[in-house]
Amino acid sequence: MADQVESTSPEAMPRMIDFMSSVLERVAKSNDLSRGFEPTQRLSLFHSLTTPTITIHSYLQRIFKYADCSPSCFVVAYVYLDRFTQTQPLLPIDSFNVHRLLIASVLVSAKFMDDIYYNNAYYARVGGISTAEMNLLEVDFLFGLGFQLNVTPATFYTYCSYLQREMLLQSPLHVAESPLNLARRLKLHCSFNEDESAHQKQLAV
């Protein structure tokens, strides 16, 4: 995979995965509670009939273990999820769709960020879905984003800062590095032609 020998410490990415899953679990639970009060919420290809038995944390760890994409892909995937919630307000992240949204966001991020990546059939096996479903999820996710895939350095830094604050709040005893160093160690491989300095994150609750 692209640039796998990165300067990220052995513990950095597992910790980031932990805190990303923590944020998504809070968002999903919050939106689960409001489902009954949101009759306008529509179903989509991302919704399962029942909530998956695997936790968000375990699912994200599985993706991290087997997808073998660059660490920065996970930050960018988080950016994509945030954009998706903004462009698709009738499809908030909840326990019924978060898993499919995760696998789709990492797949799209890997294809955009990395020079070499696994195909959809492989991601389907990692995500526990069929290849046909993975193909449909990818297309639906791209249209949901409006094909807005570029991420500026400022936006990447902003999300690193947010994730770092999550780390500090939940593990205050850890000596945290600066968001700038975190961004550098994740080795950003993005296209920089959009201005999102005023980007407001909708995933935080």
Side-chain angles (χ1 to χ4, degrees), residues 14-52:
R15 285 186 59 211
M16 179 172 291
I17 294 301
D18 290 344
F19 294 113
M20 283 179 64
S21 64
S22 176
V23 172
L24 292 172
E25 284 169 358
R26 290 206 311 269
V27 172
K29 288 179 181 178
S30 176
N31 288 329
D32 286 345
L33 293 175
S34 64
R35 280 177 62 90
F37 305 99
E38 298 290 343
T40 57
Q41 180 177 339
R42 67 182 180 88
L43 299 181
S44 70
L45 291 173
F46 299 99
H47 283 83
S48 59
L49 296 177
T50 59
T51 55

Short mmCIF file of all heavy atoms in Angstrom, two decimals, residues 14-52:
data_model
loop_
_atom_site.label_atom_id
_atom_site.label_comp_id
_atom_site.label_asym_id
_atom_site.label_seq_id
_atom_site.Cartn_x
_atom_site.Cartn_y
_atom_site.Cartn_z
N PRO A 14 -3.80 3.32 16.55
CA PRO A 14 -4.83 2.65 17.35
C PRO A 14 -5.56 3.60 18.29
O PRO A 14 -6.77 3.51 18.47
CB PRO A 14 -4.02 1.59 18.12
CG PRO A 14 -2.89 1.27 17.21
CD PRO A 14 -2.52 2.59 16.59
N ARG A 15 -4.84 4.56 18.89
CA ARG A 15 -5.49 5.53 19.76
C ARG A 15 -6.42 6.42 18.96
O ARG A 15 -7.53 6.74 19.41
CB ARG A 15 -4.43 6.39 20.47
CG ARG A 15 -3.70 5.67 21.60
CD ARG A 15 -2.79 6.63 22.33
NE ARG A 15 -3.54 7.74 22.90
CZ ARG A 15 -3.04 8.97 23.05
NH1 ARG A 15 -1.82 9.24 22.63
NH2 ARG A 15 -3.77 9.92 23.59
N MET A 16 -6.00 6.84 17.78
CA MET A 16 -6.86 7.68 16.97
C MET A 16 -8.11 6.91 16.57
O MET A 16 -9.22 7.47 16.55
CB MET A 16 -6.14 8.18 15.72
CG MET A 16 -7.01 9.04 14.81
SD MET A 16 -6.09 9.79 13.48
CE MET A 16 -5.10 10.96 14.38
N ILE A 17 -7.96 5.64 16.22
CA ILE A 17 -9.11 4.81 15.88
C ILE A 17 -10.07 4.74 17.07
O ILE A 17 -11.29 4.83 16.91
CB ILE A 17 -8.66 3.39 15.47
CG1 ILE A 17 -7.85 3.43 14.17
CG2 ILE A 17 -9.86 2.47 15.34
CD1 ILE A 17 -8.58 4.00 12.99
N ASP A 18 -9.52 4.60 18.26
CA ASP A 18 -10.35 4.54 19.46
C ASP A 18 -11.20 5.80 19.61
O ASP A 18 -12.40 5.72 19.90
CB ASP A 18 -9.47 4.37 20.71
CG ASP A 18 -8.83 3.00 20.80
OD1 ASP A 18 -9.28 2.09 20.09
OD2 ASP A 18 -7.88 2.85 21.58
N PHE A 19 -10.58 6.94 19.42
CA PHE A 19 -11.29 8.18 19.66
C PHE A 19 -12.23 8.54 18.52
O PHE A 19 -13.29 9.13 18.74
CB PHE A 19 -10.30 9.30 19.96
CG PHE A 19 -9.56 9.10 21.24
CD1 PHE A 19 -8.20 8.84 21.25
CD2 PHE A 19 -10.22 9.10 22.45
CE1 PHE A 19 -7.53 8.61 22.43
CE2 PHE A 19 -9.57 8.88 23.64
CZ PHE A 19 -8.20 8.63 23.64
N MET A 20 -11.88 8.16 17.30
CA MET A 20 -12.82 8.35 16.19
C MET A 20 -14.07 7.52 16.42
O MET A 20 -15.19 8.00 16.22
CB MET A 20 -12.15 7.95 14.87
CG MET A 20 -11.17 8.96 14.32
SD MET A 20 -10.39 8.42 12.77
CE MET A 20 -11.81 8.33 11.68
N SER A 21 -13.89 6.29 16.85
CA SER A 21 -15.05 5.43 17.10
C SER A 21 -15.88 5.97 18.26
O SER A 21 -17.11 5.89 18.25
CB SER A 21 -14.61 3.99 17.37
OG SER A 21 -13.83 3.91 18.55
N SER A 22 -15.20 6.55 19.25
CA SER A 22 -15.91 7.12 20.40
C SER A 22 -16.82 8.27 19.97
O SER A 22 -17.97 8.37 20.39
CB SER A 22 -14.90 7.61 21.44
OG SER A 22 -15.56 8.25 22.52
N VAL A 23 -16.29 9.14 19.10
CA VAL A 23 -17.08 10.26 18.59
C VAL A 23 -18.28 9.74 17.80
O VAL A 23 -19.42 10.20 17.99
CB VAL A 23 -16.22 11.18 17.71
CG1 VAL A 23 -17.09 12.23 17.02
CG2 VAL A 23 -15.14 11.87 18.53
N LEU A 24 -18.03 8.79 16.92
CA LEU A 24 -19.11 8.25 16.08
C LEU A 24 -20.16 7.52 16.90
O LEU A 24 -21.35 7.57 16.59
CB LEU A 24 -18.53 7.33 15.01
CG LEU A 24 -17.68 8.03 13.94
CD1 LEU A 24 -16.98 7.00 13.06
CD2 LEU A 24 -18.55 8.95 13.10
N GLU A 25 -19.74 6.84 17.96
CA GLU A 25 -20.69 6.16 18.83
C GLU A 25 -21.60 7.16 19.53
O GLU A 25 -22.81 6.94 19.64
CB GLU A 25 -19.95 5.30 19.85
CG GLU A 25 -19.38 4.01 19.26
CD GLU A 25 -18.44 3.30 20.21
OE1 GLU A 25 -18.20 3.83 21.33
OE2 GLU A 25 -17.94 2.23 19.85
N ARG A 26 -21.03 8.29 19.98
CA ARG A 26 -21.84 9.32 20.62
C ARG A 26 -22.85 9.91 19.64
O ARG A 26 -24.01 10.14 19.98
CB ARG A 26 -20.94 10.43 21.19
CG ARG A 26 -20.12 10.03 22.38
CD ARG A 26 -19.80 11.25 23.24
NE ARG A 26 -19.29 12.37 22.45
CZ ARG A 26 -18.00 12.59 22.20
NH1 ARG A 26 -17.09 11.73 22.65
NH2 ARG A 26 -17.61 13.63 21.50
N VAL A 27 -22.38 10.18 18.43
CA VAL A 27 -23.26 10.75 17.41
C VAL A 27 -24.39 9.79 17.08
O VAL A 27 -25.57 10.18 17.01
CB VAL A 27 -22.46 11.09 16.13
CG1 VAL A 27 -23.39 11.51 15.01
CG2 VAL A 27 -21.46 12.20 16.42
N ALA A 28 -24.04 8.51 16.88
CA ALA A 28 -25.05 7.51 16.53
C ALA A 28 -26.09 7.37 17.63
O ALA A 28 -27.30 7.32 17.36
CB ALA A 28 -24.38 6.18 16.24
N LYS A 29 -25.65 7.30 18.87
CA LYS A 29 -26.58 7.14 19.99
C LYS A 29 -27.49 8.36 20.11
O LYS A 29 -28.69 8.24 20.39
CB LYS A 29 -25.80 6.91 21.29
CG LYS A 29 -25.16 5.54 21.38
CD LYS A 29 -24.38 5.39 22.68
CE LYS A 29 -23.72 4.00 22.76
NZ LYS A 29 -22.92 3.87 24.00
N SER A 30 -26.90 9.54 19.92
CA SER A 30 -27.69 10.77 19.99
C SER A 30 -28.77 10.79 18.92
O SER A 30 -29.93 11.13 19.18
CB SER A 30 -26.77 11.99 19.85
OG SER A 30 -27.51 13.19 19.82
N ASN A 31 -28.39 10.42 17.71
CA ASN A 31 -29.37 10.41 16.61
C ASN A 31 -30.37 9.26 16.74
O ASN A 31 -31.50 9.37 16.27
CB ASN A 31 -28.65 10.33 15.27
CG ASN A 31 -27.96 11.64 14.93
OD1 ASN A 31 -28.40 12.72 15.31
ND2 ASN A 31 -26.84 11.55 14.21
N ASP A 32 -29.96 8.16 17.38
CA ASP A 32 -30.90 7.07 17.63
C ASP A 32 -32.06 7.57 18.51
O ASP A 32 -33.22 7.24 18.28
CB ASP A 32 -30.21 5.91 18.35
CG ASP A 32 -29.30 5.11 17.43
OD1 ASP A 32 -29.42 5.27 16.19
OD2 ASP A 32 -28.47 4.34 17.94
N LEU A 33 -31.71 8.39 19.50
CA LEU A 33 -32.72 8.89 20.44
C LEU A 33 -33.70 9.84 19.75
O LEU A 33 -34.86 9.93 20.15
CB LEU A 33 -32.04 9.62 21.60
CG LEU A 33 -31.21 8.75 22.54
CD1 LEU A 33 -30.50 9.60 23.58
CD2 LEU A 33 -32.11 7.72 23.23
N SER A 34 -33.21 10.52 18.73
CA SER A 34 -34.08 11.51 18.05
C SER A 34 -34.80 10.93 16.85
O SER A 34 -35.57 11.64 16.19
CB SER A 34 -33.24 12.72 17.61
OG SER A 34 -32.27 12.35 16.66
N ARG A 35 -34.58 9.65 16.54
CA ARG A 35 -35.21 9.05 15.37
C ARG A 35 -36.74 9.15 15.43
O ARG A 35 -37.39 9.45 14.44
CB ARG A 35 -34.83 7.57 15.24
CG ARG A 35 -33.46 7.34 14.64
CD ARG A 35 -33.13 5.86 14.63
NE ARG A 35 -34.06 5.09 13.82
CZ ARG A 35 -33.89 4.85 12.53
NH1 ARG A 35 -32.83 5.33 11.90
NH2 ARG A 35 -34.76 4.13 11.86
N GLY A 36 -37.29 8.94 16.62
CA GLY A 36 -38.74 9.00 16.76
C GLY A 36 -39.31 10.38 16.57
O GLY A 36 -40.51 10.55 16.32
N PHE A 37 -38.44 11.39 16.72
CA PHE A 37 -38.90 12.77 16.59
C PHE A 37 -38.57 13.36 15.23
O PHE A 37 -38.75 14.54 14.99
CB PHE A 37 -38.26 13.62 17.69
CG PHE A 37 -38.49 13.10 19.07
CD1 PHE A 37 -37.51 12.35 19.72
CD2 PHE A 37 -39.69 13.33 19.72
CE1 PHE A 37 -37.73 11.86 20.99
CE2 PHE A 37 -39.92 12.84 21.00
CZ PHE A 37 -38.94 12.10 21.63
N GLU A 38 -38.03 12.54 14.32
CA GLU A 38 -37.63 13.00 13.00
C GLU A 38 -38.35 12.20 11.92
O GLU A 38 -37.76 11.34 11.26
CB GLU A 38 -36.10 12.87 12.82
CG GLU A 38 -35.28 13.69 13.78
CD GLU A 38 -35.37 15.17 13.49
OE1 GLU A 38 -35.80 15.53 12.37
OE2 GLU A 38 -35.01 15.97 14.37
N PRO A 39 -39.65 12.43 11.74
CA PRO A 39 -40.39 11.65 10.74
C PRO A 39 -39.93 11.90 9.31
O PRO A 39 -40.22 11.10 8.42
CB PRO A 39 -41.84 12.15 10.92
CG PRO A 39 -41.69 13.50 11.53
CD PRO A 39 -40.48 13.42 12.41
N THR A 40 -39.18 12.99 9.08
CA THR A 40 -38.72 13.30 7.73
C THR A 40 -37.44 12.53 7.38
O THR A 40 -37.01 12.56 6.23
CB THR A 40 -38.44 14.81 7.59
OG1 THR A 40 -37.47 15.22 8.58
CG2 THR A 40 -39.71 15.60 7.77
N GLN A 41 -36.83 11.88 8.37
CA GLN A 41 -35.61 11.13 8.09
C GLN A 41 -35.91 9.99 7.12
O GLN A 41 -36.84 9.20 7.33
CB GLN A 41 -35.02 10.56 9.38
CG GLN A 41 -33.74 9.77 9.16
CD GLN A 41 -33.14 9.28 10.46
OE1 GLN A 41 -33.43 9.81 11.52
NE2 GLN A 41 -32.30 8.25 10.39
N ARG A 42 -35.15 9.90 6.05
CA ARG A 42 -35.40 8.87 5.05
C ARG A 42 -34.38 7.74 5.16
O ARG A 42 -33.29 7.92 5.67
CB ARG A 42 -35.36 9.47 3.64
CG ARG A 42 -34.01 9.96 3.18
CD ARG A 42 -34.11 10.57 1.79
NE ARG A 42 -32.82 11.06 1.31
CZ ARG A 42 -31.95 10.32 0.64
NH1 ARG A 42 -32.22 9.05 0.38
NH2 ARG A 42 -30.80 10.82 0.23
N LEU A 43 -34.77 6.58 4.67
CA LEU A 43 -33.87 5.44 4.64
C LEU A 43 -33.03 5.50 3.37
O LEU A 43 -33.38 6.17 2.40
CB LEU A 43 -34.65 4.13 4.72
CG LEU A 43 -35.49 3.93 5.98
CD1 LEU A 43 -36.20 2.59 5.91
CD2 LEU A 43 -34.65 4.03 7.23
N SER A 44 -31.93 4.78 3.37
CA SER A 44 -31.03 4.81 2.23
C SER A 44 -30.36 3.45 2.09
O SER A 44 -30.61 2.53 2.87
CB SER A 44 -29.96 5.89 2.42
OG SER A 44 -29.06 5.52 3.46
N LEU A 45 -29.48 3.36 1.09
CA LEU A 45 -28.70 2.13 0.90
C LEU A 45 -27.82 1.83 2.11
O LEU A 45 -27.41 0.69 2.32
CB LEU A 45 -27.83 2.26 -0.35
CG LEU A 45 -28.54 2.27 -1.69
CD1 LEU A 45 -27.54 2.58 -2.81
CD2 LEU A 45 -29.22 0.94 -1.95
N PHE A 46 -27.52 2.85 2.89
CA PHE A 46 -26.61 2.68 4.03
C PHE A 46 -27.31 2.08 5.24
O PHE A 46 -26.64 1.66 6.18
CB PHE A 46 -25.98 4.03 4.40
CG PHE A 46 -25.16 4.64 3.31
CD1 PHE A 46 -25.68 5.63 2.50
CD2 PHE A 46 -23.87 4.19 3.05
CE1 PHE A 46 -24.93 6.19 1.48
CE2 PHE A 46 -23.11 4.73 2.03
CZ PHE A 46 -23.65 5.74 1.24
N HIS A 47 -28.61 2.05 5.25
CA HIS A 47 -29.34 1.54 6.40
C HIS A 47 -29.48 0.02 6.36
O HIS A 47 -29.79 -0.56 5.32
CB HIS A 47 -30.73 2.17 6.46
CG HIS A 47 -30.73 3.57 6.97
ND1 HIS A 47 -30.45 4.65 6.15
CD2 HIS A 47 -30.97 4.08 8.20
CE1 HIS A 47 -30.53 5.76 6.85
NE2 HIS A 47 -30.84 5.45 8.10
N SER A 48 -29.25 -0.59 7.50
CA SER A 48 -29.51 -2.01 7.67
C SER A 48 -30.86 -2.18 8.35
O SER A 48 -31.37 -1.23 8.98
CB SER A 48 -28.41 -2.67 8.51
OG SER A 48 -28.34 -2.05 9.79
N LEU A 49 -31.47 -3.34 8.21
CA LEU A 49 -32.78 -3.57 8.80
C LEU A 49 -32.72 -3.60 10.32
O LEU A 49 -33.65 -3.20 11.00
CB LEU A 49 -33.37 -4.88 8.27
CG LEU A 49 -33.66 -4.91 6.76
CD1 LEU A 49 -34.18 -6.28 6.35
CD2 LEU A 49 -34.66 -3.82 6.39
N THR A 50 -31.59 -4.10 10.84
CA THR A 50 -31.35 -4.11 12.28
C THR A 50 -29.96 -3.56 12.55
O THR A 50 -29.12 -3.49 11.65
CB THR A 50 -31.44 -5.54 12.84
OG1 THR A 50 -30.45 -6.37 12.19
CG2 THR A 50 -32.82 -6.13 12.61
N THR A 51 -29.71 -3.17 13.76
CA THR A 51 -28.39 -2.66 14.09
C THR A 51 -27.39 -3.81 14.05
O THR A 51 -27.65 -4.89 14.61
CB THR A 51 -28.38 -2.01 15.49
OG1 THR A 51 -28.85 -2.95 16.45
CG2 THR A 51 -29.26 -0.78 15.51
N PRO A 52 -26.23 -3.62 13.41
CA PRO A 52 -25.21 -4.67 13.34
C PRO A 52 -24.76 -5.09 14.74
O PRO A 52 -24.73 -4.29 15.67
CB PRO A 52 -24.07 -4.00 12.56
CG PRO A 52 -24.75 -2.94 11.75
CD PRO A 52 -25.85 -2.43 12.63
#
